[in-house]
Structures are given as structure tokens and as C-alpha cells.
Amino acid sequence: MEYDELTREEYVRRTIAMIQRFEGYRAAPYDARDGMATIGYGYTFNRNNNVELFDQAGVQLSDRERRQLTAIDNAPANQRTALGLAFPVQITRDEARSLLENASLPNYEGPANRLNMPLSDERAALVSVTYNRGPGRVDTHMQGFTEAVADGDRAEAWYQLRYNSRGTNPDPDIELGIRARRGMEAQAFGLYDDPQNVTSDEARGVYRMLQLHRDDIARNEREWGTGFDGTAQPLAHNAVATSNRNNPDLVALFGEVPTISAALEPARDRLLADLRTDHPDIADRLANNAFAADAIFMDPGRDLRTGPGLRVDQRNNTTQDVDPDHAATIDSQRMTRGTAPREVDSNDLLIGNGGDDTLRAHRGNDVLIGGAGRDRMEGGIGHDTYVANAGDTVMDSDGRGELRWRNERGRDELLNGGVRNEGDPANTYRSANGQFTYVVDGSNLTVTNGQGESLRVENYAPGDMGIRLQDAPTREGRATPDAPPAQETNAQAIERLSPQDRALFDQMRSAVQRNGGGFTPEQTENIAAAGVAEYRRRESVVREPQDIGVYGDRLFTSYFPNGPGREPNFQSNVRLEDAANIPARESVQQVEVQRQQAVAAPTQEREQQQGQELPRQR
């Protein structure tokens, strides 16, 4: 962390500006509803050296006022508030500022001094917080912040300042004011050394921080600011808008307090720029506008502190050291709020870094990058892209998308299948370039590279993720599926469906009709026939059509091996607009091809195994 260092004069000016704005000026003593008597810019009488401090500040006192102030100094601590409120003095703005700068400010620099913070905006922000909370409270209730500063972790310190340093107050008006104040103090502290030149380490640090505190940040912004979905609270409950409206002079000094999405954008842009360099083969999927600022999920490299007896602020503190081999479970699922929550459909980026991570993506065209370690990557509905390494396991619930192997040259090679030639072992296929071998074992697919390293695809169905495995023709040739009758109509093709396939077709057609998407009868039949063909392609994975329905822009057939709502679940699906333009007769022909291949496969495997047996000795 590089400090934004200032001259002594500029540091004092910026610190005083914050405190004056937040505390406000009062000429006479008043009750700030915190159990202490206050005057000027937040100066409190609950101390034993008031006379000394007033003299240092040059505040003019009459003899009577001096005696009364001396009485406050000498009174028991539990009587000073009442005596302070009864103190009949009025001070000018200049005297109040002098009291703040010359008498009060040095008493609130202890935490900053202990952290060896130079004269800087970062130090000014901490002194402002300390003036509000008190040095003792900073030491005992802001350990997350002070430890992050000591470790040079700017992103974690920013989080702790903006969200985890408020204290508790049941009055919503007071809480709004404190939240607005912390937002501006965090802006003065800064999320980046320089937001115009964010470094790679800073960008990763920001997203590690976000992942670690994502739920807490989302809740705070949803209730007191502008949520990740862009929904803003009204001004009466919006701490960000309140801070910017009420503090124009501080906005001029430090800039506006940003929404959380705006705060994250510099880190997002730098992170994606780095990934486009590191993964040029998928650079088109890593554009800045491909992912919302909150749609990037990264292994935080550490965990929150846990254990009995932790205060609220302690539960959001971290074990500070980042472990490069940290094993994380990263799940990008987000749900809408309300009485009927549903899964948010978005394009997400999941990054595992080191360690044996589990990455779970859901609806949307997601990108999953496992990184080092033996990772498990699970994709949901949509065209997902997997960047895997040796030892990884991939499972895609709808079979759409693509799988790439990160090789030793730093390229992401597309795995698109291979051919089994006559004489090759059963269920074994080789890529055209000879670099990969594919072995099918039931519903699992093992891919092995030239160095003998392998990764596994679970619940693989032929053609999933564009991995196509073909048997080369034998010398005798192989029967090809019967061609459909010449100039066959859609209706004639549908009539040729088997009873089981016709029942599926009718259910799918009804689901499309219920959806009311404005499709013609012919388009509805096209969609239903395409749905049957896609289900039959994935029948080995989507074993039962337990739910057939239109959700969003797709027709789904879903299978829930552990019951609805429980992971894992598997789907076949077709996009309505695309399937509507595929003639039903073409989809019916695909169904018949799949049926014939399913019948032929066991016979071919037996023949292959028999051909590999050695002759008996006589």
C-alpha cells in the first residue's frame, strides 16, 4: 500500500475539513446523545484537563467561566456531563477550530501513530474516525482495520472502514449519519493507490476482499445504498447519496463516495485485461462489458475468523495471511428477493487460483478458470467455458459450452473429441492432432494428454461441450440410418416417432403452448421436436424427464436425482427462438439416428472386446 503523502499544512487542513463537516459547529454546550457534553466541533468536556486545552486554543474565558471549567476538571467522571451541559459559555467558530486543531487533534492521533502512518489522506481518514469513536474504541473494536493497515492490505482496510467500523446505534437517523460519514472517510482512505493505474495485485486484492465479505457488502448496500442490481434506496435511507449531498466541500477534496459497483470497476477492468493477456484463446469472452463488477468470483485466499464469543465486528475480521494454496468453494448463485425468489441469470467469471477449489456456476454464459490444484468445476444452464488443468473434474448440467486444457505453453487448447479407429481399445478415441486420448467409462469421460496427465468429465453425454467421439468406418462399412422419405412433411415425421418419444413431444408442445410465446403451431412443433432430440442426446445423463417446462427463453427437460431443489440436477434444453426455425422432420431424423446408435453400441462393444481376445493355446 502506497500512501498519498501530504505536507503537514495540507494534512491538517484536510483532516480538520472532515471533522468540521461531520461534527458540525455549536457555540454552546449541548447533548450529542452519546452521554457526553459537547461544544464547538465535537469537543467533549468529559476529561480532566479542559482548562489547559482551552488555554492552548486561545479561548477567552471570564474568571467565573474559568472557575466553572476547573470544577469540571476536578469533578468525578460521572458528574462531568451534567456540569458541562450547565457551563454557560459560548465560543466563536475560530475558537472552535483552534480548540479542534491545537487541543483536540493531537489526542486522536494515537492509533495512526501506532500504525506508523505518514501524513496522508489515509491518516486523515483514520484520525477522523478516531475523533468520532475515540482512541480506545479504535484499538478494541477496529482490529480488522488496524491489522489490514499493518499488513499493507488496502482493500481489506477499505472494507473494514466503510462497512465494519460503525458501532451500534438503534436510532436509524444516527445510523444513517454514521454510515454516510464512514463512506466519505473510506473514500478519503481510498480503495486503490491510484484508481487510474490499478495494478494486477491491487485488482486481485479487491476481488479477494469482495469474495470474503460479499454477503455483508451486498446486505449493507441493499439496505443503505445502491445494491449490486442497481436498485437504490431513497435518500432518507441512502448513505452514499446522503454523504455526497451533505458534504460538497469533502466531495471537492476527495471525490464522490461511489456506489459499490462503481468502486469495483477499476479492479474489474484491470483483472480482465490481465486475463485477456494470459488467456488469448478466450479473450473474446473476457471483454470489460462481459461481466458486471460483482459477477467476478475469486478464491479469497483466506477465511473469516470463527469461534464462540465473537462480536459482530470481529465476525467480519479475517485471518490476514493470504495462502496461495487456499482451498475454496466458490458458488456464484444469487437469488432475487421477495416472496418468490428465483435464480439470477447472469454471466459470471469464477477464478480458483491455487489449492483444490470447487467452482460452481449457474444460469448464464459463465467462464470458469480453475488455476493450480486439483479443482472441481460445475456449470449450470448456458454456454459455459471451462479452463482446466491436469487432475481437474468438470461437470456441466446441460452439456452446452466448451472445455479447454491449459497446456504447459500457456495456451488453452480446445477439447473437441476424436475418432476410434479399427483395432483401438473399446470406447477409446484419439484427437486428430494426436495430443489427446478420450476414454468413455459409462457416463464419465477421461481425457489424457501426451504427458500422461488426465482430467475427467462427469456425466458426459455424446456431444456434450462440443466433444464429439466418432467410430471410423470398418472395412465392411457400417450401416447408416435410414433416410427420411423424400419430401416428408413435419406431420408425417412426427407420426413416425415411437410411442415414448411421441409422449415426450406432446408434453413439450403443451409446455410451449402454455408459455404463450407467440409461436405459430408449426414453430411450436419445431421446438417440441428439437426438445425431444436434445433430450435423447443427453438421455444417459438426464435419465428421467421429471420436469418439462419453459423457463426464460428455453424449453427444459430436467432430472433431479436427489429430489427437486437439490444439487446436482441435470437438464437438456433448447433455446426457443433457435429451435423454432429447425424443421421438425430434421429433429425427428436426429432422434432416429440416436435410437439406432443406442441399439448398435452394445453389439459393437462386444465385437470390439472379442476381437481383442487372444486365441487359446491348444
Side-chain angles (χ1 to χ4, degrees):
M1 181 169 73
E2 295 182 4
Y3 288 94
D4 185 15
E5 296 195 38
L6 305 167
T7 65
R8 179 76 193 180
E9 180 182 6
E10 186 63 12
Y11 157 73
V12 170
R13 184 178 77 85
R14 293 163 85 87
T15 306
I16 293 296
M18 272 195 282
I19 295 174
Q20 283 182 312
R21 171 59 66 177
F22 295 140
E23 298 291 341
Y25 163 71
R26 297 285 287 272
Y30 69 100
D31 182 357
R33 292 190 291 177
D34 58 2
M36 292 186 284
T38 306
I39 196 171
Y41 294 110
Y43 176 92
T44 61
F45 289 97
N46 296 62
R47 62 187 83 208
N48 59 10
N49 62 338
N50 287 289
V51 173
E52 176 188 353
L53 296 177
F54 269 61
D55 286 344
Q56 287 179 6
V59 179
Q60 299 299 310
L61 297 172
S62 67
D63 291 341
R64 181 168 177 268
E65 290 169 344
R66 181 174 294 276
R67 287 193 299 272
Q68 290 178 293
L69 194 57
T70 301
I72 296 173
D73 287 345
N74 296 331
N78 62 358
Q79 296 180 18
R80 287 176 183 153
T81 297
L83 292 173
L85 292 174
F87 184 37
V89 70
Q90 292 208 2
I91 60 176
T92 67
R93 287 182 181 272
D94 288 342
E95 288 175 330
R97 189 187 190 286
S98 180
L99 194 62
L100 170 60
E101 178 178 348
N102 298 300
S104 295
L105 197 60
N107 294 325
Y108 294 93
E109 293 187 297
N113 291 334
R114 287 189 283 277
L115 288 168
N116 296 313
M117 298 177 76
L119 303 179
S120 59
D121 280 338
E122 293 84 356
R123 181 185 178 99
L126 176 55
V127 172
S128 176
V129 176
T130 307
Y131 198 88
N132 176 235
R133 301 201 72 183
R137 209 68 171 169
V138 170
D139 291 338
T140 60
H141 284 66
M142 286 181 58
Q143 294 140 323
F145 173 82
T146 56
E147 289 177 5
V149 171
D151 287 346
D153 189 339
R154 179 183 286 277
E156 179 67 21
W158 180 89
Y159 159 79
Q160 294 287 342
L161 196 57
R162 178 159 165 154
Y163 301 102
N164 203 34
S165 302
R166 299 185 314 277
T168 56
N169 194 303
D171 187 323
D173 291 335
I174 293 178
E175 183 172 3
L176 175 67
I178 293 174
R179 285 178 177 272
R181 176 171 182 160
R182 293 294 179 269
M184 182 58 75
E185 287 162 341
Q187 173 64 7
F189 185 90
L191 180 55
Y192 309 96
D193 290 346
D194 178 0
Q196 303 304 316
N197 294 284
V198 178
T199 68
S200 299
D201 287 344
E202 280 186 303
R204 288 182 170 270
V206 165
Y207 275 101
R208 283 196 297 264
M209 174 274 293
L210 174 64
Q211 189 66 28
L212 194 65
H213 303 293
R214 183 182 293 272
D215 292 343
D216 185 57
I217 291 173
R219 178 183 58 80
N220 275 282
E221 294 294 349
R222 184 174 62 246
E223 296 176 358
W224 294 93
T226 300
F228 283 122
D229 64 356
T231 302
Q233 285 286 351
L235 185 60
H237 299 284
N238 192 316
V240 172
T242 297
S243 185
N244 291 329
R245 184 195 67 172
N246 291 354
N247 305 301
D249 52 336
L250 300 183
V251 168
L253 282 175
F254 304 111
E256 286 195 343
V257 178
T259 65
I260 182 59
S261 293
L264 295 172
E265 284 175 0
R268 177 201 63 184
D269 294 350
R270 178 53 194 255
L271 181 64
L272 290 172
D274 289 344
L275 289 174
R276 289 193 294 271
T277 299
D278 293 341
H279 300 272
D281 301 285
I282 58 169
D284 59 319
R285 265 147 282 184
L286 298 169
N288 289 353
N289 60 1
F291 303 100
D294 70 308
I296 298 176
F297 298 77
M298 178 181 287
D299 177 358
R302 54 190 174 176
D303 298 304
L304 292 174
R305 290 197 174 107
T306 58
L310 293 177
R311 299 187 306 269
V312 173
D313 60 288
Q314 291 173 320
R315 288 197 294 270
N316 290 324
N317 291 345
T318 68
T319 51
Q320 289 296 310
D321 293 336
V322 174
D323 178 6
D325 297 320
H326 179 261
T329 296
I330 303 173
D331 193 320
S332 66
Q333 187 178 58
R334 286 155 290 170
M335 305 297 291
T336 61
R337 302 182 64 78
T339 56
R342 60 176 178 78
E343 189 175 309
V344 174
D345 189 347
S346 68
N347 299 335
D348 299 324
L349 171 62
L350 289 78
I351 305 171
N353 294 323
D356 299 342
D357 301 314
T358 298
L359 312 183
R360 292 195 184 104
H362 297 269
R363 297 182 67 95
N365 300 330
D366 306 313
V367 177
L368 296 85
I369 301 175
R374 301 173 68 87
D375 303 313
R376 179 177 181 83
M377 291 181 272
E378 301 174 3
I381 299 161
H383 188 102
D384 299 327
T385 300
Y386 302 87
V387 179
N389 292 307
D392 291 349
T393 299
V394 174
M395 183 179 72
D396 190 279
S397 67
D398 70 352
R400 298 180 180 275
E402 62 186 57
L403 174 58
R404 291 177 175 269
W405 186 305
R406 181 74 169 174
N407 65 27
E408 70 279 0
R409 301 186 304 276
R411 298 304 299 264
D412 304 324
E413 290 192 65
L414 180 66
L415 300 182
N416 54 14
V419 175
R420 179 190 174 276
N421 292 303
E422 188 174 2
D424 284 342
N427 300 319
T428 300
Y429 305 81
R430 302 184 190 281
S431 63
N433 62 7
Q435 296 299 308
F436 298 102
T437 301
Y438 301 80
V439 177
V440 178
D441 179 12
S443 62
N444 292 326
L445 173 67
T446 299
V447 186
T448 304
N449 67 8
Q451 290 74 47
E453 302 168 322
S454 62
L455 59 81
R456 185 173 68 163
V457 179
E458 287 186 356
N459 295 293
Y460 169 78
D464 275 3
M465 293 182 287
I467 301 175
R468 307 189 187 283
L469 307 176
Q470 300 176 329
D471 289 299
T474 63
R475 283 190 295 271
E476 295 79 12
R478 183 161 297 162
T480 57
D482 296 332
Q487 297 180 342
E488 181 184 42
T489 66
N490 284 345
Q492 290 171 330
I494 293 167
E495 288 301 316
R496 290 194 293 108
L497 288 170
S498 69
Q500 296 90 343
D501 289 336
R502 181 56 189 262
L504 278 174
F505 172 87
D506 289 340
Q507 291 181 67
M508 292 180 178
R509 179 171 57 184
S510 296
V512 177
Q513 290 170 337
R514 287 195 302 271
N515 185 57
F519 296 103
T520 66
E522 180 181 1
Q523 289 175 320
T524 300
E525 291 181 343
N526 290 347
I527 294 169
V532 173
E534 181 63 10
Y535 169 71
R536 288 303 177 198
R537 183 185 75 78
R538 303 206 76 223
E539 188 176 9
S540 62
V541 175
V542 189
R543 299 177 186 177
E544 296 179 41
Q546 294 178 333
D547 179 62
I548 296 174
V550 173
Y551 301 99
D553 65 347
R554 296 175 186 270
L555 170 65
F556 285 92
T557 305
S558 302
Y559 168 57
F560 311 100
N562 297 320
R566 295 184 177 180
E567 298 286 347
N569 56 75
F570 304 99
Q571 304 93 17
S572 66
N573 68 78
V574 293
R575 187 170 178 271
L576 299 175
E577 293 290 343
D578 296 337
N581 297 315
I582 301 173
R585 59 182 179 274
E586 294 182 12
S587 297
V588 170
Q589 185 181 11
Q590 290 181 29
V591 173
E592 293 173 335
V593 169
Q594 289 153 2
R595 186 190 309 131
Q596 293 182 32
Q597 289 174 341
V599 171
T603 301
Q604 293 169 3
E605 185 170 343
R606 285 196 300 271
E607 292 174 350
Q608 293 162 6
Q609 291 171 345
Q610 291 169 0
Q612 294 164 10
E613 291 178 357
L614 294 174
R616 293 181 179 179
Q617 296 291 330
R618 294 183 182 272

